[in-house]
Amino acid sequence: MSEQNVVLTDSASNKSTALPVVSGTLGDPALDIAKLNKDTGYYTFDPGFVSTASTKSAITFIDGDKGILLYRGYPIEQLAKQSNFLEVAYLLINGELPTPDQSSAFEHEVTHHTMMQESLRHFLNGFHYDAHPMAMLCGSVSVLSAFYHDTLDINDPEQRRLAAIRLIAKVPTIAAAAYRYSIGWPIRYPRNNLEYVTRFLHMMFEVPSEPLQLSPVAAKALDLLFILHADHEQNASTSTVRLVGSTGANPYACVAAGIAALWGPAHGGANEAVLKMLNEIGSADNVSKAVEKAKDKNSGFRLMGFGHRVYKNFDPRATIIREMCHKVLADLGVNDPMLDIAMKLEEVALKDPYFVERKLYPNVDFYSGIIYKALKIPTEMFTVMFAIARTAGWVAHWLEQHNDKDSKIGRPRQIYTGATNRDYVPIDKR
Ligand code: ACO
């Protein structure tokens, strides 16, 4: 921590307060306001945490102006090209790329925790057949805490580590089971002879009656999408995991809370919303009309997959996904009119002063839905895909939080705007 201070002066009392500056290894410094209320009687007001760092973290760095995303210091472009999802999960959790031995041991351990308890499978049967898979995933992950009592002592580092492995291993199994349940297909058990992503695709699409012909392009594309979605520092769902984690709640409850936060259309639910929006637009000829509607604040309509709280230049993940989208569709021989609509929408919006002035660029979810669709993943499963990948980031943050001796229960303050003190009026007098 530097010795630098920033001095604030209250113009009413002329009293000055020195706030220590906190700096990390990269990025803008912050003012340490932890003692502000004690020293001055003021709170800070920052709805949506636009200017507030809630924690120190060594996992992921984003420079939103320059379009930079680093996992543990490694640029996302290099990881996307050279790594794979399980290696990235190891990196996020452990801070370093694994050696060949560490890599095999990690893969072996994850692989041997992919089965779900048979009673958990029966639990899934309790859902209505048309339940949204995000609802099933959220409920089932939360219920893992009822099955794995040996990982609930959050003060034991080994139990924490094992819980992290279990979550990375079991979330794809539950996700695929939720999908199969919703379409009335028998659940497929995870096959240990396959690697992570291919195993998931088998659990999704293999039928008992014939072997699955899986395109290597599909597995590679999904692995890349998982890498790009694996972490994104203190986004809404990760902050939710940390907030729930700060109370000492068990890891399964924390990750279930993260899944619930991810589901919202302003966050991970955007990939599903993008495809619905492209369907509604229907043809490239209607794009200008849709852009005009998105600019009209009274319409209640926003361009889904556009804009980001942090990226005010471009989302580096969107650049990778855009390129990949063309390649995957070409390799799989898919000719999807949605891609034409998406490209036209991007072209029109990026020339429009409304979007230019507000620095609204396509985000990670703008093209991911088109790729999922080409991989035959149904629309309701898009956010589930995101959740599988983001589980790696959630558990990395949860583990980091529990190693941080400065971690405290999260408890924001408020500016109260309600009625002032008044006397109760009995019902017959109202
Ligand atoms: N379409 C039209 N206008 C938009 C959009 C959009 N997609 N996004 C932001 N704006 C406008 C706002 O109306 C606002 O205009 P104003 O200054 O005239 O009032 C301005 O741009 C700033 O928008 P905010 O909502 O203040 O920006 P914020 O940082 O709070 O929100 C968010 C970011 C939620 C991502 C927003 O851009 C949005 O709703 N996008 C669509 C949903 C989406 O794609 N979400 C996925 C995000 S990526 C992820 O979570 C994986």
Side-chain angles (χ1 to χ4, degrees), residues 15 20 28 64 171 217 233 260 264 295 299 318-319 342-343 381 396:
K15 213 178 134 198
D28 292 341
V171 166
V217 176
E233 50 118 305
K295 287 156 55 179
S299 71
T319 311
M343 285 192 321
M381 284 295 285

Side-chain angles (χ1 to χ4, degrees), residues 18-66:
L19 297 176
V21 172
V22 187
S23 299
T25 48
L26 289 171
D28 292 341
L31 300 180
D32 180 350
I33 55 163
K35 294 198 183 123
L36 186 71
N37 182 259
K38 200 163 142 254
D39 292 349
T40 67
Y42 286 110
Y43 291 121
T44 54
F45 180 57
D46 182 19
F49 307 118
V50 178
S51 294
T52 298
S54 59
T55 185
K56 290 181 186 166
S57 177
I59 300 174
T60 290
F61 173 74
I62 303 172
D63 184 326
D65 293 326
K66 296 198 183 114

Side-chain angles (χ1 to χ4, degrees), residues 108-386:
H108 181 88
E109 203 174 14
V110 169
T111 301
H112 289 86
H113 280 288
T114 48
M115 291 272 284
M116 61 177 170
Q117 259 265 359
E118 204 58 9
S119 342
L120 180 58
R121 196 163 73 77
H122 299 314
F123 177 86
L124 275 179
N125 292 340
F127 286 105
H128 203 249
Y129 72 93
D130 60 356
H132 195 287
M134 276 300 275
M136 288 194 257
L137 184 69
C138 189
S140 309
V141 168
S142 164
V143 100
L144 288 176
S145 56
F147 291 96
Y148 299 103
H149 297 281
D150 59 339
T151 43
L152 298 186
D153 179 0
I154 59 156
N155 297 314
D156 176 349
E158 177 51 23
Q159 291 199 29
R160 295 202 298 264
R161 195 194 67 80
L162 185 55
I165 296 279
R166 282 206 172 119
L167 279 157
I168 291 173
K170 290 183 201 303
V171 166
T173 310
I174 297 171
Y179 166 62
R180 309 244 337 177
Y181 177 74
S182 73
I183 56 165
W185 283 11
I187 284 168
R188 301 305 282 167
Y189 290 108
R191 282 171 43 181
N192 287 1
N193 61 331
L194 301 173
E195 59 73 44
Y196 193 84
V197 169
T198 316
R199 180 166 55 235
F200 169 69
L201 287 169
H202 271 258
M203 287 190 286
M204 283 284 288
F205 298 120
E206 194 177 36
V207 288
S209 38
E210 56 186 279
L212 177 69
Q213 301 299 333
L214 194 62
S215 153
V217 176
K220 181 87 196 91
L222 193 56
D223 192 74
L224 181 53
L225 284 172
F226 281 180
I227 293 175
L228 299 178
H229 282 97
D231 193 43
H232 213 230
E233 50 118 305
Q234 309 308 321
N235 58 86
S237 55
T238 304
S239 295
T240 302
V241 170
R242 278 186 178 261
L243 188 62
V244 179
S246 78
T247 69
N250 74 69
Y252 307 106
C254 296
V255 169
I259 293 170
L262 186 74
W263 196 1
H267 190 13
N271 54 15
E272 185 174 339
V274 169
L275 218 72
K276 283 191 180 139
M277 174 188 75
L278 294 176
N279 263 320
E280 272 162 32
I281 294 175
S283 112
D285 297 341
N286 299 331
V287 158
S288 299
K289 230 170 27 193
V291 170
E292 286 311 308
K293 191 174 164 197
K295 287 156 55 179
D296 173 6
K297 297 275 193 275
N298 296 322
S299 71
F301 170 73
R302 284 187 167 195
L303 282 192
M304 298 318 283
F306 260 78
H308 197 275
R309 169 61 61 78
V310 183
Y311 294 119
K312 300 299 175 195
N313 182 329
F314 62 93
D315 180 339
R317 302 167 301 171
T319 311
I320 298 170
I321 290 187
R322 186 183 196 277
E323 192 182 306
M324 176 187 158
C325 188
H326 288 279
K327 189 172 161 16
V328 169
L329 265 59
D331 287 355
L332 294 176
V334 174
N335 185 8
D336 189 343
M338 293 296 126
L339 184 59
D340 298 334
I341 303 174
M343 285 192 321
K344 180 82 184 163
L345 192 59
E346 185 181 6
E347 185 196 319
V348 173
L350 290 183
K351 280 192 199 136
D352 192 299
Y354 174 98
F355 290 88
V356 175
E357 281 157 21
R358 288 170 181 75
K359 302 185 174 175
L360 300 169
Y361 292 86
N363 60 46
V364 67
D365 284 329
F366 190 64
Y367 282 103
S368 65
I370 299 174
I371 302 176
Y372 287 138
K373 187 165 170 253
L375 303 183
K376 299 201 167 44
I377 291 179
T379 317
E380 324 78 72
M381 284 295 285
F382 289 2
T383 314
V384 173
M385 297 292 120
F386 195 157

